[in-house]
Amino acid sequence: MSASNSIGIGIGIVSAQRMSFDTPLQFQSGAVLPRYELVYETYGTLNADKSNAILVCHALSGHHHVAGYYAEDEKNPTQGKNPTQVKNSTQEKNVGWWDNMVGPGKPIDTNKFFVLGLNNLGGCNGSTGPSSINPATGQPFGASFPLVTVEDWVESQARLADRLGIQQFAAVLGGSLGGMQAMQWSLSFPERVRHVLAIATAPRLTTENIAFNDVARNAILTDPDFHGGNFYQHGVVPTRGLRLARMLGHITYLSDDAMAGKFGRGLRAGKYSYSYDIEFEIESYLRYQGDKFAAYFDANTYLLMTKALDYFDPARNFGGDLNQAFAAARANFLVVSFSTDWRFAPELSRTIVKSLLHNRRNVSYAEISSTHGHDSFLMQHEHYHKVMRAYLNNIASEFSA
């Protein structure tokens, strides 16, 4: 994740909200969730005719906290500190995962748009998920929480939009798994979205991607502390499995050039220790990322999210024909890919573009030269941000904020 813009010129303090739903939600699997809650945040002001709403869909480890920071993180960073200390203190705040993209004057400009971000069902950041209490048992759902799909998420997002009085989004956007949700909006609710911004995403996972996900899941499933998904009752966390899953995933999010440029073959001690302890800087980095992730993310949520990635395939019900799948779409599209993203390679984005053009949709495509691999969509990259800003400014010209 990239460093955010200075908080002083960003959104500032934000707060999460919670919405409860008592209408049962039937999942694609056939399972039914009788009631559930969604946690979300909003930024900016909804205009009079509610035509300036944008939905930001999060990726695998994302959540509702898209931009800004929380009041409890405010520690008066400037008092008695030099400029370097001030900079460090702002970076320690719980800043939203896309704060460099969303805010006043930023590409997704909250002076123009009303932006909505939510934590998807099955998540571990407040929305109903495996770690939530199942009212029927008084215990966490654990392994009994239904497997979710992108279609299920879009249905729940539409219900949240209904509650907020938003009948049509000016745009739905997201990167990676978030981009899949944005595309699904154009298929599930073609009349409810005017623009789709699909970033660093794919019409379905490649076989190699499914293989990576399976290895990551098996690291969790075979952890002795997993207890079949019901580890909550045992007072443990499958830390080893989560660490390995995140370490593997993190390797795939970076490009070889980015990894080599940042770490090379650097040795922590400057010489070989001839042991299995951490020797190379890249080893230290991956273990740090694994430890950090295992300390806050839920193992069952990780399993659910990666399966949702695997299942996404709009062409599946059309004999594998993506052209037929996109025939239902009515939105205009911006598709963005990154040159060194080998997990969601540019050719997959070009496949999306070709199918949309086949259906005579208005499509803009940008292939950004970047060294950061799949993580590029989170970065504050000048060309990328200019593309986003230009497209979103055109959307803003369609309404009066």
Side-chain angles (χ1 to χ4, degrees):
M1 187 176 296
S2 67
S4 300
N5 281 351
S6 168
I7 289 176
I9 59 172
I11 288 177
I13 295 175
V14 300
S15 59
Q17 302 176 68
R18 184 180 299 272
M19 188 84 74
S20 298
F21 296 82
D22 294 324
T23 303
L25 178 64
Q26 181 166 338
F27 290 70
Q28 292 289 308
S29 66
V32 175
L33 196 61
R35 60 188 63 86
Y36 55 94
E37 293 184 329
L38 294 176
V39 171
Y40 65 99
E41 289 180 12
T42 65
Y43 322 103
T45 303
L46 193 61
N47 62 9
D49 61 2
K50 301 181 179 180
S51 61
N52 70 330
I54 285 182
L55 173 64
V56 175
C57 303
H58 69 73
L60 189 153
S61 60
H63 41 68
H64 57 281
H65 186 39
V66 179
Y69 64 101
Y70 297 131
E72 56 265 33
D73 295 323
E74 181 60 82
K75 299 175 182 177
N76 195 14
T78 61
Q79 184 173 351
K81 296 181 179 179
N82 62 40
T84 300
Q85 291 173 317
V86 170
K87 180 181 178 182
N88 290 337
S89 68
T90 59
Q91 289 175 342
E92 290 170 0
K93 290 179 183 294
N94 183 16
V95 178
W97 59 267
W98 223 9
D99 190 74
N100 64 52
M101 184 69 73
V102 178
K106 296 181 183 180
I108 304 175
D109 192 345
T110 50
N111 290 327
K112 301 174 181 178
F113 295 105
F114 175 77
V115 182
L116 168 65
L118 78 160
N119 182 216
N120 282 332
L121 281 176
C124 54
N125 287 276
S127 293
T128 301
S131 61
S132 303
I133 299 299
N134 182 348
T137 65
Q139 298 291 326
F141 280 98
S144 70
F145 195 87
L147 285 176
V148 293
T149 65
V150 169
E151 292 92 333
D152 299 328
W153 285 332
V154 169
E155 173 62 32
S156 66
Q157 291 162 4
R159 293 186 181 189
L160 176 60
D162 289 342
R163 288 283 193 90
L164 297 174
I166 301 169
Q167 292 305 305
Q168 185 185 68
F169 283 105
V172 179
L173 68 153
S176 192
L177 180 55
M180 292 177 173
Q181 295 166 62
M183 287 188 290
Q184 187 61 47
W185 260 92
S186 74
L187 306 179
S188 295
F189 299 101
E191 303 302 327
R192 296 193 65 175
V193 54
R194 300 198 301 277
H195 295 268
V196 167
L197 286 74
I199 307 163
T201 192
R204 65 180 182 181
L205 288 191
T206 63
T207 306
E208 183 181 45
N209 269 315
I210 294 173
F212 279 124
N213 285 346
D214 186 55
V215 173
R217 284 193 297 268
N218 267 279
I220 295 171
L221 292 168
T222 57
D223 188 319
D225 287 334
F226 184 62
H227 293 287
N230 297 310
F231 51 89
Y232 315 99
Q233 290 91 322
H234 295 266
V236 296
V237 173
T239 300
R240 283 167 289 181
L242 270 170
R243 288 177 71 245
L244 289 172
R246 185 58 168 180
M247 289 168 69
L248 174 65
H250 213 76
I251 293 170
T252 71
Y253 303 150
L254 302 175
S255 71
D256 184 46
D257 287 344
M259 204 177 295
K262 189 171 184 178
F263 304 104
R265 291 180 54 84
L267 294 166
R268 294 185 74 196
K271 60 182 180 179
Y272 292 162
S273 66
Y274 299 101
S275 73
Y276 294 115
D277 292 334
I278 297 174
E279 293 189 83
F280 292 91
E281 293 291 350
I282 183 60
E283 295 174 324
S284 176
Y285 173 76
L286 289 175
R287 295 189 197 189
Y288 167 76
Q289 292 294 337
D291 288 338
K292 184 173 72 170
F293 188 74
Y296 74 86
F297 208 76
D298 181 80
N300 283 313
T301 290
Y302 190 92
L303 299 177
L304 290 171
M305 296 287 179
T306 56
K307 286 300 287 187
L309 274 163
D310 291 354
Y311 287 144
F312 182 72
D313 184 5
R316 183 173 180 270
N317 293 328
F318 298 91
D321 189 338
L322 190 63
N323 292 344
Q324 288 190 47
F326 273 122
R330 295 293 177 267
N332 300 316
F333 282 75
L334 171 64
V335 180
V336 179
S337 67
F338 298 92
S339 59
T340 55
D341 184 356
W342 58 272
R343 187 153 192 190
F344 289 77
E347 54 261 34
L348 299 174
S349 289
R350 292 195 289 268
T351 298
I352 296 168
V353 171
K354 289 177 182 178
S355 288
L356 291 168
L357 291 175
H358 175 85
N359 285 288
R360 301 183 182 277
R361 294 294 90 212
N362 291 324
V363 187
S364 298
Y365 175 62
E367 189 169 312
I368 308 295
S369 178
S370 170
T371 62
H372 296 292
H374 186 55
D375 270 355
S376 295
F377 80 93
L378 296 170
M379 299 297 178
Q380 191 168 323
H381 184 288
E382 183 179 7
H383 184 196
Y384 167 40
H385 276 218
K386 283 183 176 179
V387 168
M388 295 289 285
R389 185 186 302 277
Y391 193 89
L392 287 155
N393 282 345
N394 285 335
I395 296 176
S397 69
E398 299 172 359
F399 57 82
S400 298

PDB file of all heavy atoms in Angstrom, residues 294-322:
ATOM      1  N   ALA A 294      -1.509 -11.343  10.042  1.00  0.00           N
ATOM      2  CA  ALA A 294      -2.090 -12.356  10.928  1.00  0.00           C
ATOM      3  C   ALA A 294      -2.603 -11.758  12.225  1.00  0.00           C
ATOM      4  O   ALA A 294      -3.462 -12.345  12.890  1.00  0.00           O
ATOM      5  CB  ALA A 294      -1.057 -13.436  11.230  1.00  0.00           C
ATOM      6  N   ALA A 295      -2.108 -10.569  12.579  1.00  0.00           N
ATOM      7  CA  ALA A 295      -2.517  -9.934  13.824  1.00  0.00           C
ATOM      8  C   ALA A 295      -3.879  -9.268  13.737  1.00  0.00           C
ATOM      9  O   ALA A 295      -4.496  -8.982  14.774  1.00  0.00           O
ATOM     10  CB  ALA A 295      -1.470  -8.902  14.248  1.00  0.00           C
ATOM     11  N   TYR A 296      -4.374  -9.010  12.505  1.00  0.00           N
ATOM     12  CA  TYR A 296      -5.657  -8.307  12.410  1.00  0.00           C
ATOM     13  C   TYR A 296      -6.673  -8.944  11.475  1.00  0.00           C
ATOM     14  O   TYR A 296      -7.870  -8.645  11.563  1.00  0.00           O
ATOM     15  CB  TYR A 296      -5.429  -6.844  11.991  1.00  0.00           C
ATOM     16  CG  TYR A 296      -5.052  -6.642  10.533  1.00  0.00           C
ATOM     17  CD1 TYR A 296      -6.039  -6.529   9.554  1.00  0.00           C
ATOM     18  CD2 TYR A 296      -3.733  -6.546  10.138  1.00  0.00           C
ATOM     19  CE1 TYR A 296      -5.705  -6.341   8.224  1.00  0.00           C
ATOM     20  CE2 TYR A 296      -3.390  -6.355   8.817  1.00  0.00           C
ATOM     21  CZ  TYR A 296      -4.375  -6.249   7.860  1.00  0.00           C
ATOM     22  OH  TYR A 296      -4.031  -6.079   6.543  1.00  0.00           O
ATOM     23  N   PHE A 297      -6.260  -9.831  10.582  1.00  0.00           N
ATOM     24  CA  PHE A 297      -7.209 -10.359   9.596  1.00  0.00           C
ATOM     25  C   PHE A 297      -7.732 -11.718  10.032  1.00  0.00           C
ATOM     26  O   PHE A 297      -7.025 -12.499  10.684  1.00  0.00           O
ATOM     27  CB  PHE A 297      -6.553 -10.459   8.221  1.00  0.00           C
ATOM     28  CG  PHE A 297      -7.524 -10.333   7.080  1.00  0.00           C
ATOM     29  CD1 PHE A 297      -8.036  -9.095   6.727  1.00  0.00           C
ATOM     30  CD2 PHE A 297      -7.940 -11.441   6.368  1.00  0.00           C
ATOM     31  CE1 PHE A 297      -8.937  -8.963   5.675  1.00  0.00           C
ATOM     32  CE2 PHE A 297      -8.843 -11.318   5.316  1.00  0.00           C
ATOM     33  CZ  PHE A 297      -9.332 -10.076   4.977  1.00  0.00           C
ATOM     34  N   ASP A 298      -8.968 -11.996   9.664  1.00  0.00           N
ATOM     35  CA  ASP A 298      -9.619 -13.236  10.066  1.00  0.00           C
ATOM     36  C   ASP A 298      -9.352 -14.336   9.039  1.00  0.00           C
ATOM     37  O   ASP A 298      -9.510 -14.121   7.835  1.00  0.00           O
ATOM     38  CB  ASP A 298     -11.129 -13.019  10.211  1.00  0.00           C
ATOM     39  CG  ASP A 298     -11.857 -14.264  10.654  1.00  0.00           C
ATOM     40  OD1 ASP A 298     -11.829 -14.563  11.859  1.00  0.00           O
ATOM     41  OD2 ASP A 298     -12.439 -14.950   9.787  1.00  0.00           O
ATOM     42  N   ALA A 299      -8.973 -15.512   9.514  1.00  0.00           N
ATOM     43  CA  ALA A 299      -8.619 -16.617   8.622  1.00  0.00           C
ATOM     44  C   ALA A 299      -9.801 -17.060   7.767  1.00  0.00           C
ATOM     45  O   ALA A 299      -9.657 -17.335   6.570  1.00  0.00           O
ATOM     46  CB  ALA A 299      -8.088 -17.790   9.439  1.00  0.00           C
ATOM     47  N   ASN A 300     -10.994 -17.151   8.363  1.00  0.00           N
ATOM     48  CA  ASN A 300     -12.164 -17.565   7.595  1.00  0.00           C
ATOM     49  C   ASN A 300     -12.512 -16.541   6.521  1.00  0.00           C
ATOM     50  O   ASN A 300     -12.940 -16.902   5.424  1.00  0.00           O
ATOM     51  CB  ASN A 300     -13.360 -17.773   8.524  1.00  0.00           C
ATOM     52  CG  ASN A 300     -13.288 -19.071   9.296  1.00  0.00           C
ATOM     53  OD1 ASN A 300     -13.012 -20.125   8.726  1.00  0.00           O
ATOM     54  ND2 ASN A 300     -13.523 -19.012  10.596  1.00  0.00           N
ATOM     55  N   THR A 301     -12.342 -15.264   6.838  1.00  0.00           N
ATOM     56  CA  THR A 301     -12.592 -14.230   5.837  1.00  0.00           C
ATOM     57  C   THR A 301     -11.627 -14.370   4.670  1.00  0.00           C
ATOM     58  O   THR A 301     -12.012 -14.226   3.504  1.00  0.00           O
ATOM     59  CB  THR A 301     -12.462 -12.828   6.462  1.00  0.00           C
ATOM     60  OG1 THR A 301     -13.557 -12.622   7.358  1.00  0.00           O
ATOM     61  CG2 THR A 301     -12.475 -11.737   5.405  1.00  0.00           C
ATOM     62  N   TYR A 302     -10.371 -14.672   4.962  1.00  0.00           N
ATOM     63  CA  TYR A 302      -9.394 -14.867   3.893  1.00  0.00           C
ATOM     64  C   TYR A 302      -9.836 -16.005   2.976  1.00  0.00           C
ATOM     65  O   TYR A 302      -9.770 -15.892   1.742  1.00  0.00           O
ATOM     66  CB  TYR A 302      -8.021 -15.171   4.481  1.00  0.00           C
ATOM     67  CG  TYR A 302      -6.912 -15.142   3.449  1.00  0.00           C
ATOM     68  CD1 TYR A 302      -6.189 -13.980   3.212  1.00  0.00           C
ATOM     69  CD2 TYR A 302      -6.603 -16.275   2.697  1.00  0.00           C
ATOM     70  CE1 TYR A 302      -5.187 -13.944   2.254  1.00  0.00           C
ATOM     71  CE2 TYR A 302      -5.616 -16.250   1.738  1.00  0.00           C
ATOM     72  CZ  TYR A 302      -4.903 -15.084   1.516  1.00  0.00           C
ATOM     73  OH  TYR A 302      -3.921 -15.057   0.551  1.00  0.00           O
ATOM     74  N   LEU A 303     -10.303 -17.091   3.563  1.00  0.00           N
ATOM     75  CA  LEU A 303     -10.779 -18.222   2.748  1.00  0.00           C
ATOM     76  C   LEU A 303     -11.949 -17.805   1.872  1.00  0.00           C
ATOM     77  O   LEU A 303     -12.000 -18.123   0.672  1.00  0.00           O
ATOM     78  CB  LEU A 303     -11.187 -19.382   3.655  1.00  0.00           C
ATOM     79  CG  LEU A 303     -10.111 -19.982   4.558  1.00  0.00           C
ATOM     80  CD1 LEU A 303     -10.714 -21.076   5.428  1.00  0.00           C
ATOM     81  CD2 LEU A 303      -8.950 -20.532   3.745  1.00  0.00           C
ATOM     82  N   LEU A 304     -12.918 -17.090   2.456  1.00  0.00           N
ATOM     83  CA  LEU A 304     -14.103 -16.671   1.712  1.00  0.00           C
ATOM     84  C   LEU A 304     -13.742 -15.743   0.557  1.00  0.00           C
ATOM     85  O   LEU A 304     -14.261 -15.878  -0.564  1.00  0.00           O
ATOM     86  CB  LEU A 304     -15.079 -15.954   2.645  1.00  0.00           C
ATOM     87  CG  LEU A 304     -15.800 -16.787   3.695  1.00  0.00           C
ATOM     88  CD1 LEU A 304     -16.556 -15.866   4.652  1.00  0.00           C
ATOM     89  CD2 LEU A 304     -16.761 -17.763   3.052  1.00  0.00           C
ATOM     90  N   MET A 305     -12.870 -14.783   0.827  1.00  0.00           N
ATOM     91  CA  MET A 305     -12.520 -13.802  -0.196  1.00  0.00           C
ATOM     92  C   MET A 305     -11.803 -14.451  -1.374  1.00  0.00           C
ATOM     93  O   MET A 305     -12.060 -14.121  -2.542  1.00  0.00           O
ATOM     94  CB  MET A 305     -11.642 -12.704   0.406  1.00  0.00           C
ATOM     95  CG  MET A 305     -12.313 -11.865   1.474  1.00  0.00           C
ATOM     96  SD  MET A 305     -13.526 -10.714   0.808  1.00  0.00           S
ATOM     97  CE  MET A 305     -14.124  -9.940   2.314  1.00  0.00           C
ATOM     98  N   THR A 306     -10.892 -15.365  -1.086  1.00  0.00           N
ATOM     99  CA  THR A 306     -10.167 -16.001  -2.189  1.00  0.00           C
ATOM    100  C   THR A 306     -11.079 -16.922  -2.998  1.00  0.00           C
ATOM    101  O   THR A 306     -10.922 -17.041  -4.225  1.00  0.00           O
ATOM    102  CB  THR A 306      -8.952 -16.793  -1.678  1.00  0.00           C
ATOM    103  OG1 THR A 306      -9.363 -17.750  -0.697  1.00  0.00           O
ATOM    104  CG2 THR A 306      -7.912 -15.852  -1.079  1.00  0.00           C
ATOM    105  N   LYS A 307     -12.051 -17.551  -2.356  1.00  0.00           N
ATOM    106  CA  LYS A 307     -13.003 -18.374  -3.113  1.00  0.00           C
ATOM    107  C   LYS A 307     -13.898 -17.503  -3.991  1.00  0.00           C
ATOM    108  O   LYS A 307     -14.249 -17.889  -5.108  1.00  0.00           O
ATOM    109  CB  LYS A 307     -13.856 -19.224  -2.167  1.00  0.00           C
ATOM    110  CG  LYS A 307     -13.121 -20.388  -1.549  1.00  0.00           C
ATOM    111  CD  LYS A 307     -12.571 -21.364  -2.582  1.00  0.00           C
ATOM    112  CE  LYS A 307     -13.647 -22.212  -3.249  1.00  0.00           C
ATOM    113  NZ  LYS A 307     -13.053 -23.262  -4.127  1.00  0.00           N
ATOM    114  N   ALA A 308     -14.271 -16.321  -3.499  1.00  0.00           N
ATOM    115  CA  ALA A 308     -15.061 -15.400  -4.328  1.00  0.00           C
ATOM    116  C   ALA A 308     -14.283 -15.005  -5.576  1.00  0.00           C
ATOM    117  O   ALA A 308     -14.843 -14.889  -6.672  1.00  0.00           O
ATOM    118  CB  ALA A 308     -15.452 -14.163  -3.519  1.00  0.00           C
ATOM    119  N   LEU A 309     -12.975 -14.790  -5.421  1.00  0.00           N
ATOM    120  CA  LEU A 309     -12.121 -14.530  -6.578  1.00  0.00           C
ATOM    121  C   LEU A 309     -12.165 -15.697  -7.559  1.00  0.00           C
ATOM    122  O   LEU A 309     -12.320 -15.511  -8.773  1.00  0.00           O
ATOM    123  CB  LEU A 309     -10.677 -14.315  -6.120  1.00  0.00           C
ATOM    124  CG  LEU A 309     -10.244 -12.915  -5.698  1.00  0.00           C
ATOM    125  CD1 LEU A 309      -8.949 -12.981  -4.897  1.00  0.00           C
ATOM    126  CD2 LEU A 309     -10.062 -12.019  -6.909  1.00  0.00           C
ATOM    127  N   ASP A 310     -12.013 -16.900  -7.030  1.00  0.00           N
ATOM    128  CA  ASP A 310     -12.008 -18.091  -7.888  1.00  0.00           C
ATOM    129  C   ASP A 310     -13.323 -18.257  -8.650  1.00  0.00           C
ATOM    130  O   ASP A 310     -13.328 -18.644  -9.829  1.00  0.00           O
ATOM    131  CB  ASP A 310     -11.780 -19.350  -7.050  1.00  0.00           C
ATOM    132  CG  ASP A 310     -10.376 -19.446  -6.471  1.00  0.00           C
ATOM    133  OD1 ASP A 310      -9.533 -18.595  -6.805  1.00  0.00           O
ATOM    134  OD2 ASP A 310     -10.133 -20.376  -5.676  1.00  0.00           O
ATOM    135  N   TYR A 311     -14.445 -17.992  -7.978  1.00  0.00           N
ATOM    136  CA  TYR A 311     -15.756 -18.246  -8.566  1.00  0.00           C
ATOM    137  C   TYR A 311     -16.162 -17.222  -9.621  1.00  0.00           C
ATOM    138  O   TYR A 311     -17.002 -17.510 -10.478  1.00  0.00           O
ATOM    139  CB  TYR A 311     -16.831 -18.256  -7.472  1.00  0.00           C
ATOM    140  CG  TYR A 311     -16.825 -19.487  -6.583  1.00  0.00           C
ATOM    141  CD1 TYR A 311     -17.137 -19.383  -5.227  1.00  0.00           C
ATOM    142  CD2 TYR A 311     -16.512 -20.744  -7.078  1.00  0.00           C
ATOM    143  CE1 TYR A 311     -17.143 -20.495  -4.398  1.00  0.00           C
ATOM    144  CE2 TYR A 311     -16.512 -21.858  -6.269  1.00  0.00           C
ATOM    145  CZ  TYR A 311     -16.837 -21.730  -4.927  1.00  0.00           C
ATOM    146  OH  TYR A 311     -16.845 -22.836  -4.110  1.00  0.00           O
ATOM    147  N   PHE A 312     -15.598 -16.016  -9.563  1.00  0.00           N
ATOM    148  CA  PHE A 312     -16.048 -14.977 -10.480  1.00  0.00           C
ATOM    149  C   PHE A 312     -15.758 -15.372 -11.930  1.00  0.00           C
ATOM    150  O   PHE A 312     -14.616 -15.588 -12.321  1.00  0.00           O
ATOM    151  CB  PHE A 312     -15.368 -13.653 -10.167  1.00  0.00           C
ATOM    152  CG  PHE A 312     -15.832 -12.519 -11.050  1.00  0.00           C
ATOM    153  CD1 PHE A 312     -17.101 -11.980 -10.890  1.00  0.00           C
ATOM    154  CD2 PHE A 312     -15.009 -12.021 -12.042  1.00  0.00           C
ATOM    155  CE1 PHE A 312     -17.536 -10.947 -11.717  1.00  0.00           C
ATOM    156  CE2 PHE A 312     -15.436 -10.985 -12.866  1.00  0.00           C
ATOM    157  CZ  PHE A 312     -16.702 -10.445 -12.703  1.00  0.00           C
ATOM    158  N   ASP A 313     -16.814 -15.443 -12.723  1.00  0.00           N
ATOM    159  CA  ASP A 313     -16.684 -15.821 -14.133  1.00  0.00           C
ATOM    160  C   ASP A 313     -18.008 -15.528 -14.839  1.00  0.00           C
ATOM    161  O   ASP A 313     -18.848 -16.406 -15.015  1.00  0.00           O
ATOM    162  CB  ASP A 313     -16.338 -17.308 -14.256  1.00  0.00           C
ATOM    163  CG  ASP A 313     -16.107 -17.741 -15.696  1.00  0.00           C
ATOM    164  OD1 ASP A 313     -16.111 -16.877 -16.596  1.00  0.00           O
ATOM    165  OD2 ASP A 313     -15.918 -18.959 -15.920  1.00  0.00           O
ATOM    166  N   PRO A 314     -18.243 -14.272 -15.235  1.00  0.00           N
ATOM    167  CA  PRO A 314     -19.525 -13.901 -15.854  1.00  0.00           C
ATOM    168  C   PRO A 314     -19.853 -14.716 -17.097  1.00  0.00           C
ATOM    169  O   PRO A 314     -21.029 -14.898 -17.435  1.00  0.00           O
ATOM    170  CB  PRO A 314     -19.332 -12.423 -16.207  1.00  0.00           C
ATOM    171  CG  PRO A 314     -18.232 -11.947 -15.339  1.00  0.00           C
ATOM    172  CD  PRO A 314     -17.336 -13.118 -15.123  1.00  0.00           C
ATOM    173  N   ALA A 315     -18.829 -15.210 -17.781  1.00  0.00           N
ATOM    174  CA  ALA A 315     -19.062 -15.952 -19.023  1.00  0.00           C
ATOM    175  C   ALA A 315     -19.501 -17.393 -18.774  1.00  0.00           C
ATOM    176  O   ALA A 315     -19.937 -18.080 -19.705  1.00  0.00           O
ATOM    177  CB  ALA A 315     -17.798 -15.946 -19.872  1.00  0.00           C
ATOM    178  N   ARG A 316     -19.404 -17.844 -17.545  1.00  0.00           N
ATOM    179  CA  ARG A 316     -19.684 -19.253 -17.235  1.00  0.00           C
ATOM    180  C   ARG A 316     -21.093 -19.659 -17.638  1.00  0.00           C
ATOM    181  O   ARG A 316     -21.307 -20.770 -18.147  1.00  0.00           O
ATOM    182  CB  ARG A 316     -19.468 -19.498 -15.742  1.00  0.00           C
ATOM    183  CG  ARG A 316     -19.662 -20.949 -15.310  1.00  0.00           C
ATOM    184  CD  ARG A 316     -19.260 -21.135 -13.854  1.00  0.00           C
ATOM    185  NE  ARG A 316     -19.443 -22.508 -13.430  1.00  0.00           N
ATOM    186  CZ  ARG A 316     -20.571 -22.993 -12.894  1.00  0.00           C
ATOM    187  NH1 ARG A 316     -21.613 -22.168 -12.729  1.00  0.00           N
ATOM    188  NH2 ARG A 316     -20.666 -24.255 -12.526  1.00  0.00           N
ATOM    189  N   ASN A 317     -22.058 -18.778 -17.432  1.00  0.00           N
ATOM    190  CA  ASN A 317     -23.451 -19.111 -17.778  1.00  0.00           C
ATOM    191  C   ASN A 317     -23.764 -18.901 -19.254  1.00  0.00           C
ATOM    192  O   ASN A 317     -24.907 -19.057 -19.673  1.00  0.00           O
ATOM    193  CB  ASN A 317     -24.406 -18.274 -16.925  1.00  0.00           C
ATOM    194  CG  ASN A 317     -24.339 -18.646 -15.452  1.00  0.00           C
ATOM    195  OD1 ASN A 317     -24.093 -19.798 -15.100  1.00  0.00           O
ATOM    196  ND2 ASN A 317     -24.547 -17.673 -14.581  1.00  0.00           N
ATOM    197  N   PHE A 318     -22.737 -18.529 -20.015  1.00  0.00           N
ATOM    198  CA  PHE A 318     -22.916 -18.298 -21.445  1.00  0.00           C
ATOM    199  C   PHE A 318     -21.944 -19.144 -22.257  1.00  0.00           C
ATOM    200  O   PHE A 318     -21.447 -18.715 -23.300  1.00  0.00           O
ATOM    201  CB  PHE A 318     -22.719 -16.811 -21.771  1.00  0.00           C
ATOM    202  CG  PHE A 318     -23.706 -15.904 -21.092  1.00  0.00           C
ATOM    203  CD1 PHE A 318     -23.417 -15.352 -19.850  1.00  0.00           C
ATOM    204  CD2 PHE A 318     -24.940 -15.626 -21.675  1.00  0.00           C
ATOM    205  CE1 PHE A 318     -24.326 -14.520 -19.211  1.00  0.00           C
ATOM    206  CE2 PHE A 318     -25.854 -14.810 -21.039  1.00  0.00           C
ATOM    207  CZ  PHE A 318     -25.547 -14.250 -19.810  1.00  0.00           C
ATOM    208  N   GLY A 319     -21.685 -20.336 -21.746  1.00  0.00           N
ATOM    209  CA  GLY A 319     -20.802 -21.244 -22.467  1.00  0.00           C
ATOM    210  C   GLY A 319     -19.393 -20.724 -22.625  1.00  0.00           C
ATOM    211  O   GLY A 319     -18.692 -21.089 -23.577  1.00  0.00           O
ATOM    212  N   GLY A 320     -18.973 -19.852 -21.690  1.00  0.00           N
ATOM    213  CA  GLY A 320     -17.633 -19.293 -21.758  1.00  0.00           C
ATOM    214  C   GLY A 320     -17.502 -18.093 -22.680  1.00  0.00           C
ATOM    215  O   GLY A 320     -16.397 -17.597 -22.898  1.00  0.00           O
ATOM    216  N   ASP A 321     -18.620 -17.610 -23.224  1.00  0.00           N
ATOM    217  CA  ASP A 321     -18.603 -16.492 -24.172  1.00  0.00           C
ATOM    218  C   ASP A 321     -18.741 -15.170 -23.416  1.00  0.00           C
ATOM    219  O   ASP A 321     -19.834 -14.796 -22.995  1.00  0.00           O
ATOM    220  CB  ASP A 321     -19.735 -16.649 -25.181  1.00  0.00           C
ATOM    221  CG  ASP A 321     -19.660 -15.648 -26.328  1.00  0.00           C
ATOM    222  OD1 ASP A 321     -19.017 -14.591 -26.162  1.00  0.00           O
ATOM    223  OD2 ASP A 321     -20.253 -15.911 -27.385  1.00  0.00           O
ATOM    224  N   LEU A 322     -17.635 -14.444 -23.256  1.00  0.00           N
ATOM    225  CA  LEU A 322     -17.664 -13.179 -22.525  1.00  0.00           C
ATOM    226  C   LEU A 322     -18.448 -12.116 -23.284  1.00  0.00           C
ATOM    227  O   LEU A 322     -19.054 -11.232 -22.671  1.00  0.00           O
ATOM    228  CB  LEU A 322     -16.238 -12.698 -22.259  1.00  0.00           C
ATOM    229  CG  LEU A 322     -16.086 -11.512 -21.302  1.00  0.00           C
ATOM    230  CD1 LEU A 322     -16.591 -11.871 -19.908  1.00  0.00           C
ATOM    231  CD2 LEU A 322     -14.630 -11.062 -21.235  1.00  0.00           C
TER     232      LEU A 322
END
